[in-house]
Amino acid sequence: MSGQYEESIAKVFDRIKKSKINAYITLNEHEAMETARAVDKGEVTGRLAGMPVAIKDCITTKGIQTTCGSKILTGYVPPFDAEVTARVKKEGAVIIGKTNMDEFAMGSSTENSYYGVTRNPWDLNRVAGGSSGGSGASVAGLECRISLGTDTGGSVRCPASYCGVVGIKPTYGLVSRYGVVEYANSLEQVGPIARSVSDAALMLDVIAGHDPKDSTSVGEADKVTYTDHLNEGVKGLTIGVPEEYFGEGLNPSVEKAVWDGIMTLNKLGADYKKVSLPHTKYALSAYYIIAMCEASSNLARFDGLRYGLRTGKDENWHSTFSRIRAEGFGQEVKRRVMLGTYALSEGYYGKYYLKALKVRTLIKRDFEKAFKDVDVLAAPTMPTPAFKIGEKTEEPLSMYMADVNTLPINLAGVPSISVPCGFAGRLPIGLQLIGDLFAEPLLIRTAYTFEANTNFQKLPEGF
Amino acid sequence: MEDDVIIGLEIHCQLNKLNSKLFCGCSTKHHGSEPNTHTCPVCLGLPGALPVINKKAVEYAIMVGLALNCGIAEHTQFYRKNYYYPDLPRGFQITQYDYPIAENGMMTVDVDSIERPVRIKRVHMEEDPGRLVHQGSIETSKYVLVDYNRSGMPLIEVVTEPDLRSPKEARRFINKLRNILEYLDVFDGSLEGALRVDANVSLKGGARVEIKNISSYKGVERALLFEISRQRNMKRRGVTVTQETRHYDDERNCTITLRSKEQAEEYRYFPEADLVPLSVKDWENKLKARLPELPEAKRDRFRSQYGISDNHAKVLTAEIRLANYYECVAGKCDPVMAATWVADYLKGELNYRDRDVRDAFEPEKMIFIIDQLKKAIITDKGAVEVIRVLLDEGGEPASIIKSRNLAKVESDITRKAVTEVISENASAVQDLRSGKPQAMNFLVGMVMKKTRGRADPEEVNLLLRELLECTL
């Protein structure tokens, strides 16, 4: 006779196997069932005991293939767990598998995966968002309860918004990056995606905290239990509405849903006022320069020498590694590596990289200044609902533009949460709440209060 | 010193006295181990692994900076140096670029009793890459093996201004640097690959040539000698020396072109965001207080404390091990005698055998020898013999003296020998009497020969004068 957890996890795998979403690259069925049985027997306990959890495929999992959505890492089984993986396992979670993503987290639609596009559970012809598209879709499609994504310029919040679920991008340094395959290391953080704010907060409790293996890790989270702050309400808070986040290209349904959301919070006791973040218009260029420069360096290690793809006959090292990189990397990855290499090269470093760092400082100051006046900023997460698969693949620039409201947050290192706030037709819309450094408790209570007083926490049709 | 020679050095030294690598906990004691046994995700550069700075390595680097009279940075930061090479597992090396740990220092170099200052441009920290192992030679090997045991070994790089004027000065500089590092106890120069040198050399007015990866102490001098004569010959023939990077071939003793200026490498340096900038101002003062006595201070102290000559003090303090050996000996016998016997005789015998003081016998044995000398039980010659036997065969000085009959002979035996020599060498005696003092040396020599060196030459001298009633 099988136990309660074994049964429910078996159901999850059944659903995944019948699913058209393509949320996973690798399933961890055998080990997951074992863990579920151990939970049933009481041998495994913890805050996540028996919960089906999915992990983005750029977060290392000992003994489970980790590909980053890339052909170049096909078959790579890391010998160690990421710090977040270890923490999730320690709390008794059942690791369902590794979720699909844009190759090396480069993209906003999960169309750049070597393992196929992930479809949006709300409309299979649309993207699930990116780059943590598999993590967003798996939660929305009931293929796990909570997932981990990484957010470099909006990669947790974008799929959360497109898939109608909750996603948190924590303060830089709050969550360990040890074991996160680096794309743009000065920008990215691991964040939870869940169907409810409380689940997201629970996961943040588990993964946040100091890790001596990551020099950029800070101790702030060790003093806080995020789930303790859910019920604190929004009375007396001032919400800032940054005008630059309601600019050109904003879909009217999105604009309305977000303003309705702000009004809801207002009714629940929060004040609101318009604010300005004047350097926002430079954020996109600065972000992509920094991200591509870092990517060009971070991806240099993939040479097929010690792990991953090995094709054709071996020649001398330079030809062999050039061929492996040519075959192993997709178009978007190549584009970013080459642009980053160019921007860092002699004579251009000052013109591009250093200038981007200066813009980054100005953007940080914008936020510092804003948070002197307001507690939380509210804005659309994505300017539009999920777009159609293939719609933007030929225009990288228009794809980059989609991140315009999320990436300034990564440049500043501040936290942000996306919570469902309405629908455009049947497609979900996300409200983005942005806080000052380490203001996660404030964001969580605001989002929870909003969620508790609205009715957008729904399942897609047929689920 | 050659007036037109301009040499600058970049010296990489492994901080091999540390127990763990620069960015991970792997052991640095990998010499003689199987390949790739001292590795982890961090030093293998596996995806997701992050570097964490070894604080002790930073302390060591600051100590080196202080010992070289550098200013220590308030904030120090690491950079990525991007280049592709199979021994570099991340595709970039973590090193320092702007904001090195120490800058603007000075060290003197001493050649032919002339002490000259050499400016230190900077001291920075970086990680060592792995090591390529070719089967057979580079040319014939069908494949190459990579050993990552060395990957992540902590290095410091000392960069001088182009202040050196001869290959000999360059070698002296490196020796002195090695000695200072050993005084600081951060470095063991005897391990393979512990020290590697890149040298920049030009003749005044000519282009600068960089010679890469010279890995032996002697190689530095030889490579520079070769390169200078190559450049001189070109100049003589009216050929322009071009700016380039050359490789030094130790076996053939020559330098060969690696790449010209047009192919200069593009490293795309940029800040390593995985390592936050370090503020080391407070460390500096703490470490200053912990800095051990350095060669020059020790030299001055030896002179005043033990009353030994300037030259002896210099020789004895040039190497920490020799200095420690001397102090051990000097504490328990006549320090001036000890200086002579350690600096001149012991060091001389070791040099002759191409060995260093680590291979010498215990200081206690030296103390015994000096004691025997002082008590006039053995002669200087006998003492040298004991030292030689100890170095070549080992054993106990007392039994060596006994078994080899090295104890000084009794005075009456000496007297007898002197009498015999006088009667057997009438002409020399005549010479002496007629005012040729060189004859005395001959007669003393004959007595020494007769007693097989066991007579005390001074005593022989006195006896000869006494018996010949010589007033010389």
Side-chain angles (χ1 to χ4, degrees):
Chain A
M1 215 176 71
S2 57
Q4 171 202 344
Y5 287 104
E6 188 182 351
E7 233 169 78
S8 75
I9 296 298
K11 262 185 212 156
V12 169
F13 280 107
D14 275 349
R15 194 176 301 121
I16 293 168
K17 283 170 195 164
K18 285 176 202 148
S19 167
K20 295 189 175 93
I21 297 171
N22 193 30
Y24 289 90
I25 292 174
T26 307
L27 291 177
N28 184 39
E29 191 167 4
H30 181 73
E31 195 186 293
M33 294 311 296
E34 267 182 12
T35 310
R37 282 190 283 271
V39 176
D40 279 326
K41 286 185 203 151
E43 290 164 5
V44 166
T45 55
R47 298 185 70 189
L48 305 175
M51 274 188 208
V53 167
I55 296 179
K56 187 177 181 179
D57 207 27
C58 59
I59 299 172
T60 60
T61 40
K62 188 176 176 173
I64 310 172
Q65 176 183 245
T66 296
T67 72
C68 290
S70 181
K71 183 181 178 186
I72 210 162
L73 275 176
T74 304
Y76 170 59
V77 178
F80 67 105
D81 271 329
E83 175 66 14
V84 291
T85 307
R87 285 177 184 237
V88 163
K89 280 186 179 171
K90 201 170 154 238
E91 291 296 337
V94 177
I95 312 291
I96 299 296
K98 305 298 292 292
T99 55
N100 201 5
M101 58 185 285
D102 281 304
E103 186 180 0
F104 287 105
M106 298 178 189
S108 314
S109 65
T110 314
E111 291 166 290
N112 298 329
S113 168
Y114 176 68
Y115 304 91
V117 59
T118 292
R119 293 170 184 277
N120 193 317
W122 294 87
D123 177 348
L124 294 176
N125 294 316
R126 289 179 187 264
V127 301
S131 64
S132 313
S135 294
S138 63
V139 170
L142 297 174
E143 297 183 6
C144 69
R145 175 152 158 198
I146 313 176
S147 66
L148 291 182
T150 59
D151 192 312
T152 312
S155 288
V156 157
R157 290 159 289 158
C158 165
S161 171
Y162 284 179
C163 295
V165 291
V166 179
I168 300 177
K169 196 298 275 188
T171 304
Y172 189 77
L174 193 83
V175 178
S176 170
R177 286 185 297 110
Y178 187 81
V180 177
V181 181
E182 294 182 296
Y183 150 39
N185 43 312
S186 80
L187 298 160
E188 59 211 4
Q189 272 289 285
V190 176
I193 299 178
R195 274 191 298 282
S196 67
V197 176
S198 55
D199 268 4
L202 169 66
M203 185 54 107
L204 192 62
D205 274 345
V206 171
I207 61 172
H210 181 64
D211 176 11
K213 297 188 295 307
D214 175 358
S215 301
T216 60
S217 160
V218 289
E220 283 305 308
D222 297 331
K223 305 168 201 158
V224 193
T225 306
Y226 297 98
T227 41
D228 286 350
H229 295 271
L230 292 167
N231 290 305
E232 288 172 351
V234 294
K235 274 207 185 73
L237 295 186
T238 306
I239 293 166
V241 185
E243 52 179 334
E244 292 81 2
Y245 286 57
F246 292 81
E248 213 182 313
L250 183 63
N251 176 297
S253 314
V254 173
E255 185 169 12
K256 183 177 182 305
V258 169
W259 268 111
D260 286 351
I262 294 164
M263 290 307 146
T264 304
L265 288 168
N266 182 228
K267 271 182 221 138
L268 292 165
D271 223 351
Y272 74 94
K273 67 185 213 186
K274 287 200 176 177
V275 295
S276 175
L277 302 167
H279 295 96
T280 304
K281 56 179 175 285
Y282 306 115
L284 187 86
S285 339
Y287 169 83
Y288 276 99
I289 287 167
I290 291 170
M292 290 175 187
C293 286
E294 292 183 2
S296 72
S297 170
N298 284 323
L299 268 57
R301 71 188 67 197
F302 300 103
D303 56 8
L305 191 64
R306 281 148 297 141
Y307 46 81
L309 188 67
R310 199 66 181 253
T311 60
K313 73 170 170 49
D314 286 343
E315 301 158 78
N316 70 57
W317 185 70
H318 275 97
S319 327
T320 305
F321 102 86
S322 300
R323 183 171 33 75
I324 285 168
R325 286 169 72 85
E327 281 182 36
F329 285 145
Q331 200 187 8
E332 182 61 26
V333 171
K334 284 178 190 162
R335 174 160 34 233
R336 294 197 194 190
V337 167
M338 289 180 72
L339 285 169
T341 303
Y342 174 80
L344 278 180
S345 58
E346 215 177 318
Y348 296 102
Y349 178 82
K351 203 168 162 187
Y352 296 113
Y353 188 76
L354 277 186
K355 201 150 256 177
L357 289 187
K358 282 178 190 159
V359 170
R360 187 172 186 172
T361 305
L362 294 174
I363 285 168
K364 268 184 200 162
R365 286 199 195 130
D366 276 359
F367 280 105
E368 276 165 24
K369 211 170 143 222
F371 288 122
K372 282 191 180 129
D373 285 340
V374 301
D375 300 295
V376 178
L377 295 169
T381 307
M382 301 306 289
T384 65
F387 50 87
K388 284 204 170 110
I389 290 169
E391 195 181 314
K392 294 190 180 182
T393 38
E394 296 308 313
E395 301 166 72
L397 210 55
S398 89
M399 188 83 92
Y400 298 167
M401 300 283 278
D403 302 333
V404 70
N405 282 357
T406 50
L407 52 82
I409 283 86
N410 300 72
L411 285 171
V414 296
S416 153
I417 185 167
S418 178
V419 62
C421 71
F423 291 90
R426 56 177 175 166
L427 297 173
I429 294 165
L431 165 69
Q432 178 174 223
L433 300 167
I434 305 153
D436 202 354
L437 295 170
F438 306 109
E440 279 84 353
L442 190 60
L443 292 183
I444 283 169
R445 77 190 239 213
T446 309
Y448 183 79
T449 309
F450 179 80
E451 183 186 81
N453 290 281
T454 54
N455 190 25
F456 306 116
Q457 200 187 353
K458 289 179 179 160
L459 283 177
E461 218 174 293
F463 284 84
Chain B
M1 184 159 144
E2 297 163 81
D3 280 340
D4 63 339
V5 172
I6 302 167
I7 299 169
L9 299 174
E10 293 169 20
I11 308 159
H12 297 79
C13 316
Q14 275 183 351
L15 297 175
N16 51 18
K17 287 287 190 106
L18 282 165
N19 291 321
S20 54
K21 291 184 179 177
L22 189 52
F23 299 121
C24 65
C26 284
S27 165
T28 54
K29 309 277 180 283
H30 60 76
H31 290 88
S33 309
E34 288 288 297
N36 299 308
T37 50
H38 288 59
T39 57
C40 72
V42 176
C43 57
L44 285 176
L46 290 186
L50 295 174
V52 175
I53 187 75
N54 180 341
K55 292 237 165 82
K56 199 96 201 161
V58 182
E59 289 188 9
Y60 280 14
I62 292 173
M63 282 165 65
V64 173
L66 290 171
L68 300 180
N69 307 301
C70 291
I72 305 300
E74 271 190 49
H75 299 281
T76 192
Q77 194 174 348
F78 286 90
Y79 275 68
R80 289 182 180 186
K81 179 182 182 179
N82 295 282
Y83 65 94
Y84 286 107
Y85 210 65
D87 66 3
L88 192 64
R90 291 187 207 90
F92 56 83
Q93 181 188 27
I94 303 178
T95 178
Q96 296 195 302
Y97 188 59
D98 294 341
Y99 318 105
I101 189 96
E103 279 181 297
N104 302 324
M106 205 275 288
M107 195 173 106
T108 59
V109 60
D110 188 356
V111 172
D112 305 327
S113 300
I114 302 166
E115 216 168 35
R116 288 204 314 107
V118 175
R119 289 167 299 156
I120 311 285
K121 197 173 183 175
R122 54 190 269 155
V123 175
H124 70 247
M125 311 174 66
E126 64 186 29
E127 59 175 343
D128 225 343
R131 214 165 59 87
L132 296 185
V133 184
H134 295 271
Q135 294 301 100
S137 76
I138 294 186
E139 280 88 12
T140 60
S141 186
K142 280 189 180 150
Y143 56 89
V144 62
L145 301 169
V146 195
D147 178 6
Y148 293 102
N149 279 348
R150 200 178 75 176
S151 174
M153 280 291 285
L155 294 181
I156 52 154
E157 182 174 340
V158 176
V159 183
T160 76
E161 297 286 357
D163 289 351
L164 292 153
R165 290 289 167 272
S166 72
K168 197 170 175 186
E169 275 193 3
R171 186 173 172 186
R172 285 285 162 84
F173 181 90
I174 290 162
N175 272 328
K176 193 165 177 188
L177 176 66
R178 170 194 174 148
N179 290 332
I180 289 173
L181 297 179
E182 291 188 335
Y183 264 73
L184 295 172
D185 200 24
V186 302
F187 177 71
D188 178 354
S190 68
L191 292 173
E192 191 209 338
L195 188 138
R196 275 117 59 200
V197 179
D198 298 343
N200 288 300
V201 55
S202 60
L203 298 177
K204 204 161 268 173
R208 198 186 67 178
V209 169
E210 185 180 25
I211 312 169
K212 280 259 182 214
N213 269 321
I214 314 168
S215 58
S216 75
Y217 297 84
K218 284 176 192 158
V220 174
E221 193 174 356
R222 291 169 59 197
L224 286 168
L225 280 170
F226 175 89
E227 182 55 27
I228 290 166
S229 75
R230 189 186 71 91
Q231 291 186 21
R232 270 203 206 296
N233 283 335
M234 287 177 78
K235 205 172 165 182
R236 202 171 297 134
R237 283 185 279 125
V239 184
T240 320
V241 176
T242 49
Q243 187 175 336
E244 60 174 349
T245 301
R246 296 176 74 85
H247 165 78
Y248 175 63
D249 185 327
D250 211 344
E251 273 168 37
R252 287 187 281 179
N253 186 30
C254 63
T255 63
I256 43 181
T257 299
L258 211 59
R259 56 180 175 268
S260 65
K261 193 196 171 194
E262 291 73 44
Q263 303 164 274
E265 293 212 39
E266 161 81 81
Y267 290 123
R268 291 173 285 120
Y269 284 99
F270 78 110
E272 168 56 283
D274 288 334
L275 291 164
V276 290
L278 280 175
S279 169
V280 290
K281 203 66 202 163
D282 314 342
W283 303 19
E284 184 189 342
N285 293 325
K286 236 187 295 165
L287 291 166
K288 234 178 216 161
R290 271 172 38 196
L291 218 56
E293 185 182 41
L294 292 167
E296 276 155 30
K298 205 181 274 284
R299 185 182 71 194
D300 294 345
R301 178 171 65 79
F302 275 17
R303 253 191 332 227
S304 59
Q305 186 178 339
Y306 298 116
I308 60 175
S309 75
D310 201 37
N311 188 48
H312 274 162
K314 212 181 242 176
V315 172
L316 289 169
T317 54
E319 268 176 76
I320 182 90
R321 294 185 188 93
L322 194 67
N324 289 343
Y325 191 96
Y326 170 71
E327 285 225 273
C328 240
V329 175
K332 285 183 185 155
C333 60
D334 179 345
V336 178
M337 274 179 87
T340 306
W341 284 91
V342 175
D344 299 342
Y345 293 105
L346 177 63
K347 181 94 171 51
E349 293 294 329
L350 286 167
N351 285 349
Y352 176 72
R353 287 164 179 75
D354 209 9
R355 283 153 74 180
D356 77 44
V357 70
R358 269 176 300 189
D359 307 316
F361 44 85
E362 297 86 334
E364 287 68 33
K365 292 181 180 169
M366 185 54 98
I367 294 166
F368 182 84
I369 295 168
I370 293 169
D371 195 46
Q372 299 290 298
L373 273 167
K374 189 103 185 166
K375 286 181 185 152
I377 295 170
I378 52 172
T379 62
D380 284 4
K381 203 171 166 220
V384 170
E385 176 82 14
V386 177
I387 288 172
R388 286 179 181 158
V389 174
L390 281 172
L391 288 176
D392 295 337
E393 297 163 31
E396 287 301 321
S399 51
I400 294 168
I401 290 169
K402 207 171 162 208
S403 68
R404 306 210 167 207
N405 250 332
L406 295 172
K408 216 152 62 172
V409 293
E410 299 297 323
S411 286
D412 46 345
I413 298 176
T414 307
R415 187 176 283 267
K416 189 169 161 257
V418 171
T419 320
E420 282 172 21
V421 166
I422 290 172
S423 61
E424 288 162 13
N425 296 280
S427 66
V429 170
Q430 190 56 46
D431 282 352
L432 190 67
R433 286 192 201 280
S434 61
K436 287 185 183 158
Q438 311 89 290
M440 179 61 96
N441 292 341
F442 173 75
L443 291 170
V444 171
M446 293 309 290
V447 176
M448 295 307 288
K449 196 175 169 191
K450 219 174 224 338
T451 57
R452 298 206 332 278
R454 290 177 296 153
D456 181 344
E458 214 158 304
E459 197 188 343
V460 173
N461 209 305
L462 283 172
L463 272 169
L464 278 166
R465 284 162 202 261
E466 187 192 314
L467 291 172
L468 296 173
E469 291 171 348
C470 181
T471 48
L472 276 170

